[in-house]
Structures are given as C-alpha cells and as structure tokens.
Amino acid sequence: MPVLGILWFVDEDAFKAVDRALVELTQWLGRAAQYSDDHPAVLAFGRTAHERLHVALDRAGSIDVGVLKDRLTVGDRELPSPLLRTRTAPYLHARGALLLRISVGIGFEELAAFVSVLTQHVNEIYAAGGLRVLLARRGVARIAIEEIQHE
C-alpha cells in the first residue's frame, strides 16, 4: 500500500481513481442537496459513488485531500477534474474544511452520513461547532476533517 505524502502517487492509475471517486462523491452530494439524502434514487447513486471510492482506496490506501478555495490536492498534485475545482473545493472550503482524510474500510452508512452532514447549510455547520463535531455525532470514524477553528 502506498505511503501518503509528497511522493505518494507514483501510481498514475491510483491518482486517476481518486479523482474519479471524488467526482462521483460530488455528484452524489449535489443530488442529495437538490432532492434529499434519503431519496431512493439518491441512495442508489450513492452506492455507486461508494463503490468507486472503494476502488480508489484499494489502489491508493487512505486518501488525504487538501482543500483550497479553488482546488483540491493530493500530496503536491492538484486533482484535475474541473468539477472538483469549480464545485467541490469551494463547497468544502465554505464549510471550513482544510483537509479531508478518508480511510480504508469506510462503509456506505458512514459515507452517507458524511454526505448528509455536508448538505447542511453553512450557518448550521458553524453553529453546531463544525464538520468534525457533526461527523463525530453521526459516528463517522473513517472520515477525518481538519478545519478552521470554530468558536
């Protein structure tokens, strides 16, 4: 299994798999925000995103994603998909995320809880103490967030 860090993605296939998985996750998030996170069609789409994420985790090991206002990074490389630059990065940045760490073994329920938390309005997230607090309340252990300080 690869080691995370600056030299992490020597394997180009793993890097592409992470990019594709985060695109699928973004599309799931968009549908959950538009309809509801428990709509059957949204859940079916989420299962596909979960499968894609498992492919990426199998190839890459744990995934650390740096969050900037206009891009997502893994190691020292920017993820190339335009959707991640224009939608995902600003969305996560607005919610205070600086780093997203996804660990091997994440289940569908944990990933669905993560998506559900992200669909909350920014003010609700900040008022509750941030993403880390909300994820802990939902029992999400295999997604860790480093975020800006919440007071």
Side-chain angles (χ1 to χ4, degrees):
M1 202 160 292
V3 178
L4 291 176
I6 297 299
L7 301 175
W8 179 56
F9 275 119
V10 179
D11 180 356
E12 190 64 23
D13 288 336
F15 184 75
K16 289 177 181 176
V18 169
D19 186 74
R20 283 191 299 269
L22 292 176
V23 166
E24 293 279 342
L25 186 63
T26 298
Q27 292 172 334
W28 179 18
L29 177 60
R31 284 170 175 77
Q34 184 177 7
Y35 302 107
S36 76
D37 57 359
D38 61 351
H39 188 281
V42 173
L43 289 173
F45 195 87
R47 293 206 184 278
T48 302
H50 179 249
E51 290 169 13
R52 180 76 65 149
L53 183 61
H54 268 275
V55 169
L57 289 165
D58 287 344
R59 291 184 180 170
S62 302
I63 301 167
D64 285 0
V65 180
V67 179
L68 302 167
K69 186 168 67 169
D70 60 351
R71 72 186 131 227
L72 297 179
T73 62
V74 175
D76 63 346
R77 295 183 62 188
E78 180 178 337
L79 291 165
S81 293
L83 181 67
L84 300 178
R85 285 193 308 274
T86 60
R87 308 258 331 257
T88 315
Y91 194 88
L92 292 172
H93 186 267
R95 284 154 178 76
L98 300 173
L99 178 75
L100 170 67
R101 179 173 292 122
I102 305 171
S103 298
V104 174
I106 186 165
F108 177 75
E109 292 75 22
E110 278 185 292
L111 195 58
F114 175 65
V115 168
S116 179
V117 165
L118 287 179
T119 61
Q120 293 181 27
H121 191 275
V122 174
N123 294 339
E124 294 172 357
I125 291 171
Y126 279 89
L131 292 170
R132 190 180 322 180
V133 169
L134 290 169
L135 291 175
R137 286 182 189 158
R138 298 287 302 266
V140 176
R142 290 184 182 85
I143 296 180
I145 298 278
E146 290 183 23
E147 60 189 331
I148 62 170
Q149 284 295 94
H150 298 281
E151 297 181 18

